[in-house]
Each structure stands twice: as C-alpha cells, then as structure tokens.
Amino acid sequence: MNLPKIENEDLAGKRIFLRVDFNVPLENGTVTDTTRIEKTLPTIDLLVSKGARVIIGSHLGRPKGKVNPEFSMKPVFEKFKTMVEHSVVFSDTVVGSDAEKLSKNLKNGEILILENLRFHAEEEENEKKFVKALASLADVYVNDAFGAAHRAHASTEGIAHELPSFAGLLMRKEIETLGSLVSRPAKPFVAIIGGSKVSSKIKILKNLTDKVDHILIGGGMAYTFLKSRAIPIGNSLFEKDYEVQAYQLIDNAGIQGIDLQLPVDHVIADSFSDKAKSKSVDKMGILDGWMGMDIGSKTISNYEKVIKEAKTIFWNGPMGVFEMDKFANGTLQIAKAVAKSKAVTVVGGGDSIAAINKAKLADKITHISTGGGASLEFLEGKQLPGVKALLNGEK
Ligand code: AMP
C-alpha cells in the first residue's frame, strides 16, 4: 500500500491540519499516560522542522456531540506543551472565526491545538459543512491518527477529499507493520488472542486462520471454545450465540493443519472479585460454582514453548482478569515470553499494552500498535475508511 508521504513535500509556510489520536487517559484533569502523544511526536517534529504551521485536531473520550468540560483538550494541551520545545497555542473552539483567526496567525513552525473535535456531532456524522469548515483552517491534511482510522468521520475521512492529503509517520508505520504481518510474515507465525469475548474477536480469528501456524487462546473467550467441545466451564464467561462458530473455528483450524490451543488448566474463583476464594486447578474442566479467571501454569508453559519457536507474533487481549492481581499471572507470563522472543512481535489492544507497560517490557516489543479497534479491523482484512481516503484523496 503506497500511502502518500510527507517527507519529500515542501511544506514551508503551509498550514497543515494534522489529525492525531490524543485520546489519552485523564485522571483529575491530568494526563496519566502519554504514549499516544509520544508516538506522534516524530510527525510533529518533522512538520515543524519543515517550517509548516501545524493545526492539531483530535477527539478525546465520548462527549457525544456536545461541549463538555470533562472532555476538554485543554489538559492535553498543557501536557503537550511540556513535551515539546515548539511554540504551542490552544483554541477553545474547533471551527468558526476564532479558530480561523488563530490558524491564520500561526507563524512557520508554530502549533495550534484545537478543542475536542467530538464536541460537534457533525464530526462523527462526517457532515459536509463541518468538513469544509475544518478544511478551511488549512492548506494540507496529514492523518497520523491510526487509532481512529476505522471511523469515517469528518476529520478522519471527509477532510481528505477537500485538501491535498498525506499519511503521517505513525500512520505509515502502523500500516506497514500490520500489513507485513498479513502479507509476508516470517514463519512460524503465532497469534495469541485473549480478552473477554468471542464475539469481538471471531472475525480476526477467522481471518488469521489462513495466515498463522498457531493460535493460542486465553481470557474469558476461551470458555465458549471449551464449552463448544462439551468441556464443563462452571460459571465462566460464556457466549451461547457464538458456541457454534467457536466449534467450527476449531474444526477449520484442524482441517487447515493449524495448531489451535486452548487452556488446559486454570486459576478459578467462586465469584468475579479480587476478594473471591480462588485456587489453581490442574484440569481442563471447571466445576459448577466456579469460574475461570486466568490460565493455569501448564497452559502458560504450553504457550511459552510455542512462543519460543515463533518468528512472528501478534498478541491481542489478556489471558485472564489481569486488572485483579490474583488473576494477572497468565497475562504477565505471556507478556514476558513475548518480550523475550526473538520474533517480530506486534501487540495491539489497550489491555495487552497495559500488561506490557506494567511489566516494563515495552522496549522489547517490535511494534506496539496504538489502535486497538483499528488494528483488529485491519487484520480482519477490512479497508479502513481513514486509510482509503488518503489513497483516494486529492493530491
Ligand atoms: P477485550 O476488551 O475483549 O480484549 O477484553 C479485555 C477484558 O477481558 C479485560 O477487562 C479482562 O478483565 C477480561 N477478561 C479476561 N479474562 C477473563 C475471564 N477469564 N473472565 C472474564 N473476563 C475476562
């Protein structure tokens, strides 16, 4: 995929609308994790070094189309200012005369951060007038918001049809890395898929079945797979509507010669709580009154063996209820095994990334994808609207 690059463009004096994903976690009005900001800094630094005038737009949370101070970009602006040496100003509005004036007053190399794009319902509606108003702030559009590329919103899709459009460095890195996973992965290719629900992961599992050599399943979704094979799962998470699809996926993997592994032992609890009574059980089945909360030690060791031999690894979703310390071991051990591996390692999804960060292993991973939903949809084989618009947009 040849996404249009900014490196060779003459952008001096040009106003750039840079869409980023600064949807960062906030606590009491301060940013608690700057990963998403950091990942975009190479693009921002490049634009500034070219003498561009950079207008940054992002969404933050779900204000549902209404102005809501709880979701203001102001704290993000305050944090951002401390992370760069550039001159940065804030606009309380997204579109309209004040925002336009601020964008016109920018000097070469200066940055303007706009208020939350989603304070306008028109953003998510990709409404034409709003698209034009956003586009009127700038001469060129650069999209570095891979995490929002699966949405066809005004600032991620519509605007690309109004201005000469380019992909930022992060956007290109995400697409190139995820693209190489599906087009030419070094083998063996191992997919580790966990998390709560089969329903949200079934499509990616189906799509990966053509490409991978091993699928290691963990987390709450493993229990629907076990139950589909008539293994008792007690009160564990179970999605009846996906039982048949889970059954068929195991069958298809077998037919295609793919090694699909399920947990063979568990850490179980008598309720969904960190205060619950819990124990390890050396069995695949779970008795009534108990629920599976984490993969057990045999499963960890089975998965570690596969991970050790891998040349490519994609990991999405925790192996257990890792937010509760008692049930975090499986996820942590898998994070360590992935970090230790010599394979090309790609981790996507907020929870798996949180586990990697908690274990301070982020620098041992080849690529941490900033887009949970976007990376899943990309690997499901879907064309992301934000990416498609860059390919088809004006030049
Ligand atoms: P997802 O967003 O689908 O990747 O799921 C992440 C969530 O799955 C986390 O909040 C975990 O607590 C949850 N989870 C993982 N393992 C289990 C389990 N065995 N039972 C219930 N929830 C789980």
Side-chain angles (χ1 to χ4, degrees):
M1 198 186 297
N2 275 330
L3 284 171
K5 296 181 184 181
I6 45 175
E7 287 91 318
N8 304 327
E9 294 299 310
D10 176 9
L11 300 172
K14 297 244 171 80
R15 287 180 305 157
I16 314 289
F17 185 97
L18 175 66
R19 176 58 156 100
V20 298
D21 179 6
F22 282 180
N23 185 24
V24 290
L26 289 173
E27 256 169 49
N28 302 323
T30 32
V31 177
T32 54
D33 186 324
T34 54
T35 312
R36 284 186 165 157
I37 302 177
E38 281 157 34
K39 297 254 183 199
T40 312
L41 290 182
T43 301
I44 295 168
D45 290 343
L46 178 64
L47 292 172
V48 167
S49 75
K50 281 175 173 281
R53 306 166 182 208
V54 187
I55 299 145
I56 292 181
S58 176
H59 70 284
L60 180 66
R62 293 172 195 261
K64 301 198 173 128
K66 291 205 176 73
V67 175
N68 180 343
E70 201 190 316
F71 298 105
S72 171
M73 286 288 290
K74 197 83 194 263
V76 180
F77 158 72
E78 297 294 348
K79 186 75 204 178
F80 181 80
K81 267 200 311 192
T82 68
M83 296 171 68
V84 294
E85 311 228 308
H86 318 309
S87 150
V88 197
V89 284
F90 185 71
S91 170
D92 292 327
T93 50
V94 175
V95 288
S97 56
D98 288 353
E100 251 171 61
K101 206 191 270 163
L102 285 168
S103 80
K104 285 200 176 116
N105 286 344
L106 282 179
K107 298 196 182 71
N108 291 9
E110 287 186 347
I111 299 171
L112 171 69
I113 297 191
L114 300 175
E115 188 45 287
N116 192 342
L117 296 166
R118 289 196 189 160
F119 280 0
H120 296 259
E122 298 90 334
E123 159 67 0
E124 292 181 66
E125 291 160 3
N126 201 358
E127 192 265 340
K128 201 80 199 158
K129 262 204 226 140
F130 184 71
V131 168
K132 289 209 183 285
L134 281 183
S136 73
L137 297 176
D139 311 303
V140 170
Y141 170 63
V142 176
N143 190 352
D144 217 19
F146 175 72
H150 56 318
R151 309 276 182 229
H153 294 169
S155 68
T156 60
E157 203 276 340
I159 191 170
H161 302 289
E162 300 291 330
L163 294 174
S165 302
F166 299 89
L169 304 179
L170 174 64
M171 174 69 89
R172 285 224 326 276
K173 184 163 184 244
E174 291 275 10
I175 298 289
E176 277 161 18
T177 313
L178 294 173
S180 66
L181 275 195
V182 281
S183 61
R184 43 178 194 287
K187 300 270 191 163
F189 181 2
V190 179
I192 310 163
I193 307 288
S196 57
K197 291 189 176 152
V198 181
S199 48
S200 60
K201 307 278 162 85
I202 191 81
K203 281 202 206 118
I204 186 170
L205 280 167
K206 281 186 185 160
N207 201 40
L208 286 176
T209 312
D210 296 338
K211 297 169 182 85
V212 300
D213 305 291
H214 304 266
I215 298 178
L216 310 177
I217 292 184
M221 58 184 264
Y223 302 100
T224 301
F225 281 89
L226 290 172
K227 177 102 190 241
S228 82
R229 295 284 146 167
I231 292 158
I233 58 163
N235 306 342
S236 306
L237 209 63
F238 173 58
E239 285 175 281
K240 176 105 195 87
D241 291 349
Y242 286 86
E243 194 179 5
V244 173
Q245 291 197 52
Y247 183 94
Q248 285 167 344
L249 200 110
I250 299 175
D251 261 5
N252 287 341
I255 291 165
Q256 295 188 46
I258 290 155
D259 167 46
L260 185 148
Q261 295 197 29
L262 294 168
V264 294
D265 61 348
H266 316 273
V267 178
I268 58 172
D270 63 355
S271 71
F272 192 82
S273 157
D274 54 356
K275 302 207 172 55
K277 201 159 106 193
S278 66
K279 59 182 178 183
S280 298
V281 283
D282 186 9
K283 282 196 201 94
M284 222 177 189
I286 296 173
L287 294 178
D288 280 349
W290 294 89
M291 57 181 78
M293 299 288 274
D294 194 10
I295 55 174
S297 55
K298 259 196 202 159
T299 310
I300 293 172
S301 135
N302 288 349
Y303 289 7
E304 280 170 346
K305 275 184 208 135
V306 176
I307 291 168
K308 202 166 166 218
E309 301 300 320
K311 291 265 170 27
T312 306
I313 299 172
F314 174 70
W315 179 24
N316 179 293
M319 296 289 104
V321 186
F322 83 108
E323 299 93 332
M324 303 180 193
D325 283 347
K326 269 178 164 176
F327 312 114
N329 186 50
T331 305
L332 195 65
Q333 297 309 325
I334 294 303
K336 283 187 183 158
V338 171
K340 218 164 127 192
S341 144
K342 299 211 164 31
V344 171
T345 49
V346 178
V347 179
D351 291 317
S352 338
I353 294 171
I356 293 276
N357 284 339
K358 200 168 161 188
K360 301 202 166 37
L361 295 169
D363 58 339
K364 306 256 175 344
I365 303 296
T366 315
H367 180 69
I368 293 190
S369 177
T370 49
S375 66
L376 282 185
E377 290 198 18
F378 185 87
L379 293 174
E380 279 166 16
K382 284 192 195 147
Q383 196 170 33
L384 308 180
V387 174
K388 190 173 167 199
L390 290 178
L391 291 169
N392 301 343
E394 273 199 28
K395 284 287 127 352

